[in-house]
Amino acid sequence: AQTVTQSQPEMSVQEAETVTLSCTYDTSENNYYLFWYKQPPSRQMILVIRQEAYKQQNATENRFSVNFQKAAKSFSLKISDSQLGDTAMYFCAFMKHGSGNTGKLIFGQGTTLQVKP
Amino acid sequence: EAQVTQNPRYLITVTGKKLTVTCSQNMNHEYMSWYRQDPGLGLRQIYYSMNVEVTDKGDVPEGYKVSRKEKRNFPLILESPSPNQTSLYFCASSSNQRAGGPAGELFFGEGSRLTVL
């Protein structure tokens, strides 16, 4: 069974600075997706970034980038130039890809990020 | 605007009173699923549907029913709600890949906060 672990329950960062959220996962699958979702106080789940395991290049979306280390089963999220609107809970998630994919997302426990002015 | 719409957003009910949480998506997605989010337990999959008339259990299906008569709708039914079903519920959808199962990103609704007294 797959598991996703986020070891940082809470983090804080000053506005305009950079912060990195950690995520590790465990799987015997070779083909999968990894995601970071953001859940602001409005509670909506918003996709921040996604990574296909077969791609060696790290995904980037504007101020958000990941460090994907497949061998180490590590998938960290870096937020550059942090903004007050980045304050939210962030979830790392895993989904199996390919045949037999039921679409189930396995979520970590979440990291609450506070951006301070 | 592409979206997943859930109703109601908030509901307080009593034990045993049947209720339905509706979910509708306008993206012509084949795949839809339901999750519940509880403190300390993260998000867990309740049921999923690969396409019309095709549904299957997720990790926590007890006490819930679903149906998929139309592509755009995937209602979650609580026949006899109990207090342990007090939770935040999310509906999500995705297009399918050729091999079956979601092509990756799940699009989430805004969530439905359910309280069972």
Side-chain angles (χ1 to χ4, degrees):
Chain A
Q2 291 84 17
T3 59
V4 178
T5 302
Q6 294 177 248
S7 58
Q8 305 152 314
E10 296 180 354
M11 294 189 72
S12 64
V13 63
Q14 291 296 131
E15 196 175 6
E17 294 188 346
T18 295
V19 64
T20 298
L21 308 184
S22 301
C23 172
T24 58
Y25 60 96
D26 189 25
T27 184
S28 59
E29 302 288 339
N30 190 49
N31 198 7
Y32 50 86
Y33 297 103
L34 293 165
F35 305 90
W36 279 97
Y37 278 89
K38 168 184 177 180
Q39 188 175 40
S42 66
R43 304 174 317 181
Q44 179 146 18
M45 295 292 286
I46 302 165
L47 179 70
V48 175
I49 199 164
R50 90 178 209 181
Q51 175 83 41
E52 288 91 341
Y54 71 87
K55 290 186 177 179
Q56 292 187 333
Q57 186 172 5
N58 289 324
T60 299
E61 286 287 341
N62 300 315
R63 297 183 295 109
F64 299 89
S65 62
V66 298
N67 183 3
F68 173 48
Q69 302 289 327
K70 190 173 183 179
K73 296 180 182 173
S74 171
F75 184 61
S76 61
L77 174 71
K78 185 171 83 171
I79 306 174
S80 303
D81 186 25
S82 297
Q83 300 176 0
L84 296 178
D86 295 334
T87 293
M89 180 167 279
Y90 287 81
F91 290 95
C92 179
F94 170 100
M95 180 192 290
K96 180 182 173 182
H97 181 42
S99 177
N101 176 15
T102 65
K104 182 169 73 176
L105 276 170
I106 308 294
F107 286 88
Q109 294 303 306
T111 297
T112 299
L113 176 67
Q114 176 81 41
V115 179
K116 298 180 178 179
Chain B
E1 179 188 355
Q3 59 186 5
V4 179
T5 303
Q6 297 177 223
N7 280 295
R9 296 286 312 283
Y10 303 89
L11 180 63
I12 300 174
T13 190
V14 295
T15 299
K17 186 176 181 180
K18 180 180 178 180
L19 69 92
T20 299
V21 185
T22 64
C23 174
S24 180
Q25 50 92 6
N26 63 1
M27 294 170 278
N28 201 36
H29 284 165
E30 295 86 6
Y31 180 90
M32 298 183 76
S33 65
W34 278 100
Y35 287 80
R36 60 178 288 174
Q37 183 179 15
D38 302 289
L41 297 175
L43 286 93
R44 295 174 292 168
Q45 189 185 55
I46 304 171
Y47 268 95
Y48 66 95
S49 170
M50 291 290 195
N51 215 323
V52 176
E53 301 291 1
V54 181
T55 64
D56 209 341
K57 296 177 181 179
D59 291 330
V60 288
E62 296 78 18
Y64 304 96
K65 285 175 58 177
V66 292
S67 68
R68 187 87 183 277
K69 294 183 171 58
E70 305 166 286
K71 197 173 188 179
R72 64 183 294 128
N73 296 323
F74 189 45
L76 180 69
I77 303 157
L78 287 74
E79 292 273 1
S80 182
S82 62
N84 65 12
Q85 292 178 298
T86 292
S87 187
L88 176 60
Y89 291 87
F90 287 98
C91 180
S93 72
S94 178
S95 56
N96 274 351
Q97 57 182 329
R98 189 168 295 179
E105 174 185 355
L106 293 191
F107 293 85
F108 283 86
E110 292 181 304
S112 296
R113 168 70 69 185
L114 172 64
T115 301
V116 183
L117 302 175

